[in-house]
Amino acid sequence: KNISTDSDIEGLIAFDYYNKGDKALAKRMFKEILSKNPDDVMSSINLTRIYIKEFDFMGAGKTLNNLVKANPEAKKDPRVAVYGILMFLFK
């Protein structure tokens, strides 16, 4: 109901690929979304979750730090704030 941008739709498609097992394609899609919209909170969080599931904490931290660099207000978002330790440890 709240889908408002192309990146939201692309993110849903990428997440669907991830859930179907094509993790590499999902990561590429999220990276492409973020290259066009680096301030996209939801895509950043979804890519971060993928990295965490793969134990790639450096990738997760860098994704979140790139988000905050592009969108400083995102740091206050509770969905992002829970990953504060990753942002601190993996810049």
Side-chain angles (χ1 to χ4, degrees), residues 24-36:
L25 177 58
K27 283 196 312 191
R28 279 196 311 272
M29 288 181 73
F30 279 122
K31 288 177 184 178
E32 185 177 319
I33 292 167
L34 292 172
S35 71
K36 292 185 254 177

Side-chain angles (χ1 to χ4, degrees), residues 61-77:
K62 285 185 176 188
T63 299
L64 293 168
N65 280 305
N66 288 338
L67 168 64
V68 171
K69 196 181 308 178
N71 179 2
E73 290 297 311
K75 195 170 190 173
K76 298 175 188 172
D77 189 316

Side-chain angles (χ1 to χ4, degrees), residues 5 21 26 35 72 83:
T5 66
S35 71
Y83 299 109

Side-chain angles (χ1 to χ4, degrees), residues 21-72:
D22 197 341
K23 295 172 171 103
L25 177 58
K27 283 196 312 191
R28 279 196 311 272
M29 288 181 73
F30 279 122
K31 288 177 184 178
E32 185 177 319
I33 292 167
L34 292 172
S35 71
K36 292 185 254 177
N37 301 308
D39 61 341
D40 184 335
V41 174
M42 209 56 238
S43 292
S44 296
I45 290 171
N46 285 329
L47 182 57
T48 296
R49 289 177 178 160
I50 290 171
Y51 282 135
I52 290 170
K53 288 179 181 182
E54 295 177 345
F55 299 101
D56 182 358
F57 302 114
M58 177 78 71
K62 285 185 176 188
T63 299
L64 293 168
N65 280 305
N66 288 338
L67 168 64
V68 171
K69 196 181 308 178
N71 179 2

